Amino acid sequence: QVQLVETGGGVFQPGTSLKLSCSASGFSVYQYAMHWVRQGPGGVLEWLAVLSYDGKTIYMPDSKRGRISVSRDDSRNTVFLQLNGLTFEDTAVYYCARALYTFGAFYYYALGVWGQGTTVTVSS
Amino acid sequence: QSVLTQPPSVSGAPGSEVSISCLGSSSNIGANMDVHWYRQVPGSAPTLLISTNNIRPSGVPDRFSVSRSGVSASLDITGLQADDEASYYCQTHDVSLTTWVFGGGTKVTVL
């Protein structure tokens, strides 16, 4: 069964960092581009980053450069998101999602499998 | 402000048809990038509903269809049912920003 499970959410103080994990089952993360998306209290989906299937390329919005890092542990079939310098605006549900298809031109691919999300609250 | 613009809400009577628009630009929808639509009910993660050329995951009925013209795309729902009540998001890739972008979401209400 194809599944993604995010963990690592919780309550964080402003200025600190978080590292979320996305554990995959039923497929191998090294065959798919893997995305991180968040949804704030207002409900808008915000795309954060994608790690290419070969692990060589990470795309993210310019506004997030310097704050986000994405990594992968193929032996654990897990992808990670680290977010530094937390602010109240980082409060959201964080989802990882898998590209619909393996390899290839993942720019075109839908986000075909989503995890259930992990909740991050930034509060002093 | 989302790169893709959707109406905040649409509504329709059971059995009717509703359409949700998704306005982009020449660097995303207008660049012929595939447009994907997701459905989300409260408390759950989004799920892929349909993509360009009406490619649907298994189990999605053909009451859902998509179209596009220029820098816009649309999701049409025919034969509206009570369990179609959800939020719907469009998504595509922006070639200028080299980012994946979402619309702000549209809440569908069945009257």
Side-chain angles (χ1 to χ4, degrees):
Chain A
Q1 181 184 358
V2 174
Q3 192 175 11
L4 294 168
V5 177
E6 303 93 337
T7 55
V11 180
F12 299 85
Q13 291 208 328
T16 62
S17 300
L18 62 79
K19 186 172 185 178
L20 306 179
S21 301
C22 171
S23 177
S25 56
F27 71 97
S28 299
V29 294
Y30 66 83
Q31 296 183 327
Y32 292 85
M34 297 294 296
H35 297 259
W36 286 94
V37 178
R38 71 183 181 184
Q39 187 170 36
V44 174
L45 293 172
E46 180 185 13
W47 177 79
L48 293 176
V50 63
L51 177 64
S52 62
Y53 55 86
D54 59 9
K56 294 180 179 179
T57 306
I58 300 169
Y59 292 103
M60 67 184 68
D62 288 342
S63 61
K64 297 293 188 287
R65 290 190 193 284
R67 291 190 63 212
I68 284 181
S69 62
V70 180
S71 58
R72 191 177 78 191
D73 184 337
D74 292 348
S75 67
R76 295 168 57 187
N77 212 28
T78 299
V79 181
F80 305 95
L81 172 75
Q82 180 160 333
L83 182 60
N84 303 316
L86 292 172
T87 71
F88 300 122
E89 287 69 37
D90 293 316
T91 293
V93 177
Y94 286 71
Y95 298 101
C96 66
R98 191 203 80 179
L100 184 58
Y101 305 115
T102 56
F103 307 120
F106 60 91
Y107 312 97
Y108 293 95
Y109 300 168
L111 281 60
V113 179
W114 294 64
Q116 86 291 347
T118 187
T119 300
V120 169
T121 302
V122 182
S123 174
S124 55
Chain B
Q1 185 121 4
S2 301
V3 173
L4 305 177
T5 301
Q6 298 180 235
S9 63
V10 299
S11 61
S16 68
E17 176 177 346
V18 297
S19 182
I20 301 171
S21 60
C22 176
L23 175 64
S25 70
S26 59
S27 62
N28 44 68
I29 299 177
N32 209 32
M33 300 304 293
D34 285 357
V35 180
H36 314 289
W37 293 84
Y38 302 86
R39 177 180 183 271
Q40 185 181 34
V41 295
S44 296
T47 58
L48 178 63
L49 178 68
I50 190 170
S51 296
T52 297
N53 295 326
N54 291 309
I55 298 175
R56 303 176 194 84
S58 173
V60 175
D62 60 7
R63 300 187 297 106
F64 295 88
S65 63
V66 295
S67 60
R68 65 190 296 161
S69 178
V71 298
S72 291
S74 293
L75 169 69
D76 294 320
I77 310 173
T78 59
L80 200 62
Q81 301 178 359
D83 61 3
D84 293 332
E85 281 207 343
S87 292
Y88 295 82
Y89 296 86
C90 59
Q91 175 263 313
T92 188
H93 180 75
D94 191 291
V95 297
S96 293
L97 300 172
T98 318
T99 60
W100 281 247
V101 290
F102 284 93
T106 299
K107 181 172 171 55
V108 170
T109 300
V110 181
L111 301 172

